[in-house]
Amino acid sequence: MSLGSSGERAWLNAEAQWDAFDPVDYVRKNYRTVLPVDAEIMSIVRTHFSDHFRGLPGLRVRGVDVGAGANLYPTFTMLPWCDEITLLDRSTPNLHYLKQQFDRHDHGWDAFWRELCLDEAYAAMTGGPWKRFGEVAQVEQGDIFALVDRPGQWQIGTMFFVAESLSSSYEEFHEGVECFLRSLTPGAPFAAAFMEHSEGYWVGETPFPACDVSESDIRESIEGYAERLRIYRVGEPGEVRPGYTSMILACGFRRTGNS
């Protein structure tokens, strides 16, 4: 039996009402404007990716945003270097939202792109992100745990607020992190964001689970599969919503050994 933070039976990923997730409400509450914490995260990630690919001019890769949900800025961080980006999510409403962005995107995302354009790699994409997004992004319904069958498929990856927000199970948290990292090729750069000590969250009228993980839990889960790992504490407690202590951002590269 999988356990949660207080030793009780965990609320598992398969038991949550993912098809009741309301992406419009989620975006309205979380991404209507660029919060300082989002700007800080994007600044760190754009530098991490830009510094890596600056030494590899002309390289084009395949990327993945695992648990994309209704958040486009992780995908935006990968746009300058990708010939293909898979936006993976299991929730039917989230998939519909993502597909809508190809034809009639929410203009609020333009402000997030402008933050990324403080780096020349993004600013060089004249005309904004949408043409490139339409060319390289593909929306796919999928379960994070099924990535165990797709090892080494992508050469760059993001996973934002997913592993700790899919259930209250420590076992599933660690499994989710492992599945994400194993889906990347050795040496692939990645960025992953987490809510520390999250108490769970609501979207519209529906509650969703969270796993109460600390910074050390996050580091322990990642470091066996990563190298040159850097961990950042970003934002202020409760900046986005009540019920967490900090956001944790992990940037690194998929380990090139046997892990």
Side-chain angles (χ1 to χ4, degrees):
M1 181 177 69
S2 188
L3 299 179
S5 59
S6 301
E8 77 284 2
R9 179 188 177 279
W11 182 0
L12 298 178
N13 177 255
E15 298 167 339
Q17 300 181 65
W18 298 112
D19 283 343
F21 198 99
D22 184 343
V24 174
D25 181 75
Y26 185 77
V27 170
R28 179 180 59 82
K29 287 182 177 177
N30 294 282
Y31 300 115
R32 185 175 64 245
T33 61
V34 181
L35 296 174
V37 67
D38 294 316
E40 185 177 0
I41 288 171
M42 285 188 285
S43 175
I44 295 168
V45 175
R46 76 186 179 217
T47 299
H48 175 53
F49 289 158
S50 290
D51 285 352
H52 174 68
F53 286 104
R54 192 173 292 118
L56 301 166
L59 180 66
R60 310 301 298 183
V61 299
R62 292 185 300 168
V64 63
D65 183 27
V66 174
N71 179 6
L72 292 187
Y73 83 68
T75 293
F76 282 0
T77 66
M78 296 184 281
L79 276 180
W81 304 284
C82 289
D83 283 332
E84 176 186 304
I85 302 176
T86 300
L87 282 68
L88 187 75
D89 203 273
R90 68 171 294 172
S91 164
T92 299
N94 282 344
L95 296 166
H96 287 165
Y97 177 85
L98 292 169
K99 290 175 181 177
Q100 287 171 355
Q101 302 309 301
F102 290 95
D103 298 320
R104 46 186 180 89
H105 67 268
D106 286 351
H107 291 286
W109 294 114
D110 293 330
F112 290 81
W113 179 252
R114 287 193 292 270
E115 289 288 334
L116 291 170
C117 284
L118 297 174
D119 183 287
E120 60 183 9
Y122 302 88
M125 294 175 57
T126 57
W130 298 109
K131 182 176 184 295
R132 188 70 180 164
F133 180 81
E135 292 171 345
V136 306
Q138 56 185 29
V139 177
E140 179 182 331
Q141 187 162 30
D143 189 315
I144 186 173
F145 302 123
L147 292 178
V148 68
D149 297 322
R150 301 168 78 172
Q153 181 162 341
W154 293 284
Q155 293 80 49
I156 184 174
T158 54
M159 181 180 69
F160 278 42
F161 312 115
V162 175
E164 83 289 8
S165 301
L166 55 80
S167 78
S168 66
S169 164
Y170 285 109
E171 181 180 338
E172 289 195 333
F173 166 74
H174 290 295
E175 183 180 356
V177 171
E178 178 180 351
C179 286
F180 165 62
L181 291 171
R182 285 188 179 275
S183 75
L184 305 178
T185 57
F190 69 85
F194 306 85
M195 290 276 195
E196 182 189 51
H197 296 307
S198 178
E199 298 174 359
Y201 58 107
W202 290 73
V203 180
E205 301 299 317
T206 307
F208 289 93
C211 189
D212 179 7
V213 293
S214 66
E215 179 179 339
S216 60
D217 292 327
I218 293 164
R219 180 182 294 276
E220 178 184 353
S221 189
I222 295 172
E223 61 187 0
Y225 307 97
E227 58 192 23
R228 291 178 281 163
L229 177 64
R230 300 190 68 177
I231 302 288
Y232 305 85
R233 299 183 70 85
V234 293
E236 300 296 331
E239 183 176 344
V240 175
R241 60 168 172 80
Y244 70 95
T245 56
S246 182
M247 291 188 187
I248 305 293
L249 177 65
C251 293
F253 298 84
R254 176 70 173 95
R255 186 180 292 277
T256 54
N258 294 325
S259 295

